[in-house]
Amino acid sequence: MPHEENDRITYHDGRPNPQKGRIEEVRDEGPHAVYRVRNEDTNEVQVITQGQID
């Protein structure tokens, strides 16, 4: 399922627990999409790939 800006997601970034965030930007839509996400707990901006989203 493709994700869009402002979607809330759960994702993995190497930390032990899944992270929650909101998509701020979608790049390269499709199966190799890249997303800029703002983490809800830490307010950090992270760039993740489609494969990291639950």
Side-chain angles (χ1 to χ4, degrees):
M1 172 181 123
H3 296 283
E4 299 178 359
E5 290 182 15
N6 294 315
D7 283 355
R8 292 184 73 210
I9 59 168
T10 301
Y11 63 97
H12 297 276
D13 66 353
R15 292 181 246 200
N17 298 320
Q19 303 297 306
K20 293 182 181 177
R22 185 173 303 275
I23 295 174
E24 291 189 341
E25 181 182 0
V26 180
R27 300 179 193 163
D28 303 324
E29 293 182 20
H32 303 289
V34 176
Y35 302 94
R36 188 175 72 197
V37 177
R38 182 161 309 267
N39 186 299
E40 288 183 359
D41 295 328
T42 64
N43 208 33
E44 346 171 54
V45 173
Q46 297 176 290
V47 176
I48 63 169
T49 63
Q50 179 71 34
Q52 293 174 268
I53 298 175
D54 286 343

